[in-house]
Amino acid sequence: MKIHRLVGIILASLSMSLAQAQDYWYFPPGAGPYFRAGVGPSFFQNGTLESFTVAGSSGPANAPVSYDTGVAFDAAFGYAFNKYIGLDFDTGYIWTRIDSVQGYQSNHSTIANVPILANATLSLPIPHTDIVPYIGGGAGGAVSVFDGHTFNDGTDFVQGEESDTVFAYQAFAGVRFTLGPNVSVGVGYKYFATADPTFSYPPSPNLNVRFSGIQSHSVLFTLQVNF
């Protein structure tokens, strides 16, 4: 009888502990991991070719640069602490072709960036609707890639891809429309900027092409899935 009574006390204690654990690990509405993806056009601000130094010679410095309309892909995986606040890791691909560089022949050379950023997002659901405006920002780095298609100053040229890792940051805002308990679509604006990248071509570190930081304005059509 004493053994049966002891077992009963142990089972009752376990039951109370589980009930308390369930209360302790309460998850508020909207909490959980999520995945977001987006794609759309990207419009690049004019920039500057700060230097072009090849084999000891130097082309025109501080030459104005204009870019064609490019494209942006965006992907993020994060965690929402509630229906208002989320943190995520963001990457993607932002690409454009160089339209012209004063004093140079660009020959359709291109610049791309692969962001590696940490974001914070504030969502503001409108009560009794499926509309969720949001705003946020992030910082981190980006891998900048310059693909020179015989990019030249009339005398010297660079050919092929080189990359540089630079500081980057972004700000964004938009609106999502809930389609179901876990799926929403939306449209948003994203401003993305980098520090000045320098692309060094072999065989010498003196083969340098340096641009002012990239600044782009993207319109993204998004899909978000909450788990």
Side-chain angles (χ1 to χ4, degrees), residues 93-112:
Y93 192 70
I94 306 171
W95 175 93
T96 187
R97 182 180 286 117
I98 295 174
D99 177 47
S100 65
V101 182
Q102 184 176 306
Y104 293 82
Q105 297 177 11
S106 60
N107 297 321
H108 303 297
S109 298
T110 65
I111 288 184

Side-chain angles (χ1 to χ4, degrees), residues 42-55:
S42 192
F43 306 93
F44 289 74
Q45 291 186 204
N46 293 342
T48 304
L49 178 64
E50 296 182 345
S51 64
F52 181 81
T53 305
V54 181

Side-chain angles (χ1 to χ4, degrees), residues 6 143 167 180 186 221:
L6 180 61
V143 179
F167 173 74
F221 301 94

Side-chain angles (χ1 to χ4, degrees), residues 27-34 78-87 224 226:
F27 292 96
Y34 63 86
Y79 188 84
F81 297 96
N82 49 46
K83 60 184 179 180
Y84 303 108
I85 299 174
L87 297 177
Q224 181 165 313
N226 294 72

Side-chain angles (χ1 to χ4, degrees), residues 174-185:
V175 61
R176 298 193 304 270
F177 304 92
T178 303
L179 300 181
N182 301 313
V183 179
S184 60
V185 296

